[in-house]
PDB file of all heavy atoms in Angstrom:
ATOM      1  N   MET A  23     -46.871  11.669  11.444  1.00 55.00           N
ATOM      2  CA  MET A  23     -46.529  10.443  10.720  1.00 55.00           C
ATOM      3  C   MET A  23     -45.102  10.032  11.052  1.00 55.00           C
ATOM      4  O   MET A  23     -44.168  10.830  10.966  1.00 55.00           O
ATOM      5  CB  MET A  23     -46.661  10.667   9.203  1.00 55.00           C
ATOM      6  CG  MET A  23     -46.264   9.467   8.367  1.00 55.00           C
ATOM      7  SD  MET A  23     -46.520   9.773   6.597  1.00 55.00           S
ATOM      8  CE  MET A  23     -45.837   8.276   5.908  1.00 55.00           C
ATOM      9  N   VAL A 116      -8.631 -19.945  15.366  1.00 96.00           N
ATOM     10  CA  VAL A 116      -9.544 -18.929  14.831  1.00 96.00           C
ATOM     11  C   VAL A 116     -10.516 -18.466  15.912  1.00 96.00           C
ATOM     12  O   VAL A 116     -10.801 -17.270  16.040  1.00 96.00           O
ATOM     13  CB  VAL A 116     -10.298 -19.485  13.602  1.00 96.00           C
ATOM     14  CG1 VAL A 116     -11.433 -18.549  13.194  1.00 96.00           C
ATOM     15  CG2 VAL A 116      -9.341 -19.685  12.439  1.00 96.00           C
ATOM     16  N   LYS A 157     -14.471 -10.213  13.609  1.00 96.00           N
ATOM     17  CA  LYS A 157     -13.038 -10.141  13.907  1.00 96.00           C
ATOM     18  C   LYS A 157     -12.365  -9.223  12.895  1.00 96.00           C
ATOM     19  O   LYS A 157     -12.806  -9.098  11.748  1.00 96.00           O
ATOM     20  CB  LYS A 157     -12.404 -11.539  13.843  1.00 96.00           C
ATOM     21  CG  LYS A 157     -12.951 -12.519  14.877  1.00 96.00           C
ATOM     22  CD  LYS A 157     -12.272 -13.882  14.742  1.00 96.00           C
ATOM     23  CE  LYS A 157     -12.962 -14.937  15.617  1.00 96.00           C
ATOM     24  NZ  LYS A 157     -12.708 -14.727  17.032  1.00 96.00           N
ATOM     25  N   MET A 225      -4.105  -3.081  15.084  1.00 98.00           N
ATOM     26  CA  MET A 225      -4.231  -3.000  16.541  1.00 98.00           C
ATOM     27  C   MET A 225      -5.309  -1.993  16.937  1.00 98.00           C
ATOM     28  O   MET A 225      -6.165  -2.267  17.792  1.00 98.00           O
ATOM     29  CB  MET A 225      -2.887  -2.608  17.156  1.00 98.00           C
ATOM     30  CG  MET A 225      -2.933  -2.354  18.659  1.00 98.00           C
ATOM     31  SD  MET A 225      -3.389  -3.810  19.629  1.00 98.00           S
ATOM     32  CE  MET A 225      -1.834  -4.705  19.616  1.00 98.00           C
TER      33      MET A 225
END
Side-chain angles (χ1 to χ4, degrees):
M23 177 177 175
V116 169
K157 297 180 189 289
M225 174 63 78

